[in-house]
Amino acid sequence: MIRYALTRLGLLLLGLVVASVLIFLTLRVLPGDVAQQIAGTNSTPEQVAAIRANLGLDVPLPAQYLDWIGGVFRGDLGTSLLTGTPVASELAAKAQVTIPLGVMSLAVALLIALPFGIVAALRRGRPGGTALSFGAQAIAAVPVVWAGMMLVVVFAVWLGWLPAQGFPRAGWSDPGRALAALVLPAVTIGVVEGAMLMRFVRSATLAAMGQDFVRTAAAKGLTRRAALLRHGLPVVGLSIISVLGLQVAGIVVGAVVIEQLFTLPGIGRMLVADVGLRDLPKVQGELLALTGFVLLIGFAVDLLHRSLDPRQREAS
């Protein structure tokens, strides 16, 4: 197990390095010049060149990359060209919104996917199971922005139960208002991701019901439901754990969009704003941090799955 973990850790670090190269090169082909933006429209070419030299943008690209990635391995994600603040400190501040939003979204997705996916499998071929499967497919196809707008119309505009946009200035020092501000965004992401995950839960449940030990338990007098709940759920759980990394990636992408829609001061909204401002070091740090987070979750899920699955433990 230790050898496997070290191998996966090496692949994680390799993935981060590859991602850093792609992020660095992609941002360099985007149109616009941050030096020109800082200097203003009435600046002279000499003034723009001086700003570029001061910011280190006149250095060859390989040297810029090595300087940046060297700082990353020292724990320094860079400094904003526009504000002069460390990227890591701004990420930590914005993460106080994005991380709770992601956790709440994942909780909503699991609360939807697990019970409804199992029921859809148990009622396969019946009207109830067919309706659940069709509903999951329909909801999974809904754009997350459209789903968010519909929830705002119903729960914020018509019913007035929840705030439509924004986050309290006091932040988490006012936990009630902070949680209320995240409910609609979390439900928006969680419903769409939950519908996608529900189809997988249904397939995993059907596969578990076809296992010999579940059929043997049913043959000994247990109902299909009892045999599944007693003997098949561990198999379903292992299958769900194996796709949690993909779900987290979907939630991260959804958070970038939803934070814009609900004007939440999180990492996603900051990232979109910084791309427009061409604050390259800040965007690099933000993208690498998000990529590293997704890869780290995948690494943890992989180790958890291997430690819980007796077949993989024996293989190791």
Side-chain angles (χ1 to χ4, degrees):
M1 183 64 183
I2 296 177
R3 181 180 178 183
Y4 177 80
L6 292 175
T7 302
R8 297 300 300 176
L9 181 61
L11 292 175
L12 185 151
L13 294 176
L14 177 61
L16 275 178
V17 172
V18 172
S20 70
V21 173
L22 294 176
I23 290 169
F24 181 86
L25 294 178
T26 301
L27 291 178
R28 265 56 189 183
V29 302
L30 292 178
D33 186 351
V34 67
Q36 180 68 63
Q37 186 168 342
I38 294 173
T41 56
N42 298 323
S43 60
T44 64
E46 291 76 14
Q47 291 173 326
V48 175
I51 293 175
R52 288 182 60 83
N54 185 50
L55 297 177
L57 298 177
D58 59 340
V59 178
L61 290 182
Q64 289 186 40
Y65 171 78
L66 291 176
D67 180 65
W68 171 56
I69 200 65
V72 169
F73 281 107
R74 294 191 303 269
D76 180 12
L77 291 176
T79 303
S80 170
L81 294 179
L82 300 179
T83 63
T85 56
V87 176
S89 63
E90 294 205 33
L91 280 171
K94 302 298 183 181
Q96 297 180 34
V97 175
T98 300
I99 291 179
L101 173 61
V103 172
M104 291 171 64
S105 301
L106 182 60
V108 171
L110 292 174
L111 288 173
I112 291 173
L114 292 177
F116 288 110
I118 293 173
V119 171
L122 289 172
R123 296 184 176 274
R124 180 182 59 171
R126 301 179 185 178
T130 303
L132 286 173
S133 298
F134 177 79
Q137 291 179 352
I139 294 173
V142 173
V144 68
V145 173
W146 189 87
M149 290 189 295
M150 292 301 100
L151 289 174
V152 167
V153 170
V154 174
F155 293 100
V157 178
W158 291 353
L159 299 176
W161 291 352
L162 295 165
Q165 288 183 323
F167 195 75
R169 289 182 179 272
W172 288 102
S173 60
D174 187 355
R177 291 185 60 197
L179 283 173
L182 294 182
V183 169
L184 280 181
V187 171
T188 300
I189 300 173
V191 166
V192 176
E193 291 295 324
M196 297 179 184
L197 183 59
M198 175 187 154
R199 294 183 297 172
F200 182 85
V201 172
R202 178 182 179 274
S203 299
T205 304
L206 290 173
M209 291 169 62
Q211 295 290 327
D212 290 339
F213 55 87
V214 176
R215 289 186 295 182
T216 300
K220 291 183 177 180
L222 292 178
T223 63
R224 280 201 316 164
R225 179 180 303 177
L228 174 65
L229 295 177
R230 186 174 301 180
H231 301 286
L233 281 186
V235 178
V236 177
L238 286 173
S239 300
I240 294 171
I241 289 174
S242 65
V243 299
L244 279 183
L246 296 176
Q247 290 299 125
V248 170
I251 288 173
V252 169
V253 174
V256 173
V257 177
I258 288 302
E259 286 180 0
Q260 293 293 313
L261 178 63
F262 289 92
T263 61
L264 296 174
I267 295 174
R269 191 176 179 210
M270 180 176 66
L271 173 62
V272 173
D274 292 335
V275 170
L277 294 172
R278 288 282 297 175
D279 195 343
L280 296 184
K282 196 174 175 187
V283 175
Q284 287 173 175
E286 292 160 354
L287 288 176
L288 189 63
L290 291 174
T291 303
F293 175 73
V294 172
L295 290 176
L296 185 61
I297 291 296
F299 170 73
V301 167
D302 196 14
L303 292 186
L304 179 62
H305 186 274
R306 191 174 184 87
S307 64
L308 294 178
D309 191 342
R311 295 167 298 181
Q312 295 196 25
R313 287 202 305 269
E314 292 173 1
S316 61

